[in-house]
């Protein structure tokens, strides 16, 4: 019975659609044409326009990346009049992957030049699912908040960095860093909890091999 009712309902809906199309032929034709235009425009944007702009952006940040690697952060940010800096490329090539990456670079540059609020602003704009970069971004935001003496925010982002992915190489590092920061805030019990995670889950990591000294130090402060 239920199946018959469902079939009848589908048939009724189909009849309504057919009647609507019949009564609104011109509007439907215009709508279909508009849909074709939207699809074509979308394909052009995502398959041609954005990839081409992204390639141009990648070329234009090449010298800025070299400056960044040399810790020439102001040069990396602003360029030198001949070669563009990250700020100009990020503004010029919005929506591209390269512009997104510029947000990360800009944030780190600001972090290293003492502009901590600006560092948070640009790092927040950077989006990635990459295990290494994602954790590095969150850790850098934690550093920016720590430099501003915003302890609660710093702790939150250090914890996010440690929990971003389960990585044998980087996770224990971020857990120890979080623990050490908690010690500076006299939260020794919470610090021991982070160190214990390293001891139990990452005993073969560089941090894991030395973790007992961190646990002993924090325990002595209880």
């Amino acid at each position: 019975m239920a199946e018959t009712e469902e079939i009848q309902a589908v048939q009724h809906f189909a009849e309504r659609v057919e009647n609507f199309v019949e009564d609104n032929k011109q509007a439907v034709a215009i709508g279909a044409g508009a849909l074709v235009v939207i699809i074509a425009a979308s394909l052009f944007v995502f398959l041609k326009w954005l990839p081409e702009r992204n390639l141009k952006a990648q070329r234009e940040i090449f010298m800025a990346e070299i400056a960044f690697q040399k810790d020439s952060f102001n040069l990396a940010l602003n360029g030198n009049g001949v070669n563009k800096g990250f700020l100009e490329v990020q503004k010029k090539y919005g929506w591209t992957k390269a512009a997104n990456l510029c947000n990360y670079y800009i944030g780190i540059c600001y972090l290293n030049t003492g502009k901590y609020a600006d560092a948070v602003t640009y790092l927040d704009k950077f989006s990635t699912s990459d295990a290494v970069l994602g954790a590095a971004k969150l850790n850098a935001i934690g550093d920016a908040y720590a430099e501003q003496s915003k302890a609660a925010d710093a702790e939150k982002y250090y914890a996010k960095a440690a929990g971003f992915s389960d990585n044998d190489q980087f996770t224990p590092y971020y857990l120890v860093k979080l623990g050490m920061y908690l010690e500076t805030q006299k939260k020794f019990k919470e610090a021991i909890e982070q160190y214990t995670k390293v001891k139990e889950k990452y005993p073969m990591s560089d941090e894991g091999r030395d973790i007992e000294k961190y646990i002993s130090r924090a325990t002595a402060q209880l």
Side-chain angles (χ1 to χ4, degrees):
M1 181 66 177
E3 183 177 352
T4 301
E5 291 177 352
E6 289 179 2
I7 292 173
Q8 290 175 343
V10 170
Q11 290 175 337
H12 180 63
F13 178 74
E15 289 173 359
R16 290 179 61 188
V17 171
E18 184 178 354
N19 292 335
F20 176 82
V21 172
E22 184 65 27
D23 295 339
N24 300 274
K25 285 181 179 179
Q26 185 176 359
V28 170
I30 293 172
L35 181 60
V36 170
V37 171
I38 292 171
I39 293 173
S42 298
L43 290 173
F44 172 78
V45 167
F46 289 105
L47 298 181
K48 183 174 176 60
W49 187 71
L50 274 179
E52 288 181 354
R53 282 174 59 78
N54 187 61
L55 184 59
K56 290 179 181 178
Q58 287 176 334
R59 290 170 179 162
E60 292 192 11
I61 64 171
F62 179 72
M63 296 306 296
E65 288 178 314
I66 291 177
F68 181 87
Q69 291 166 6
K70 295 180 178 179
D71 294 342
S72 299
F73 299 114
N74 283 313
L75 179 60
L77 275 173
N78 301 301
N80 60 5
V82 177
N83 300 302
K84 293 181 174 62
F86 292 126
L87 283 167
E88 184 177 351
V89 175
Q90 189 270 350
K91 184 177 181 180
K92 182 178 178 181
Y93 293 99
W95 294 15
T96 64
K97 293 179 181 179
N100 179 50
L101 183 58
C102 281
N103 287 322
Y104 175 77
Y105 280 128
I106 293 168
I108 299 300
C109 287
Y110 278 139
L111 179 63
N112 281 279
T113 53
K115 296 181 179 179
Y116 305 119
D118 290 331
V120 171
T121 296
Y122 278 93
L123 288 166
D124 268 336
K125 292 179 181 180
F126 174 61
S127 61
T128 182
S129 58
D130 182 82
V132 176
L133 273 180
K137 161 194 167 174
L138 295 167
N139 175 69
I141 293 175
D143 287 343
Y145 279 127
E147 292 289 349
Q148 297 176 84
S149 299
K150 296 181 178 180
D153 289 322
E155 289 175 25
K156 180 174 74 173
Y157 277 92
Y158 286 145
K160 285 185 175 183
F164 189 78
S165 65
D166 190 4
N167 185 299
D168 290 343
Q169 183 176 0
F170 297 105
T171 302
Y173 167 79
Y174 290 126
L175 286 170
V176 168
K177 183 171 183 178
L178 171 58
M180 293 175 66
Y181 186 74
L182 288 166
E183 285 193 70
T184 68
Q185 303 303 304
K186 302 188 183 305
K187 296 183 177 181
F188 301 109
K189 182 178 179 181
E190 292 90 335
I192 292 169
E193 290 175 359
Q194 306 308 317
Y195 299 147
T196 301
K197 291 177 185 177
V198 176
K199 178 180 179 179
E200 294 177 348
K201 293 190 66 178
Y202 310 99
M204 303 307 296
S205 65
D206 290 341
E207 292 77 15
R209 285 189 282 270
D210 293 330
I211 202 63
E212 286 294 348
K213 71 180 182 182
Y214 293 97
I215 293 174
S216 297
R217 183 181 66 200
T219 301
Q221 300 297 320
L222 291 174

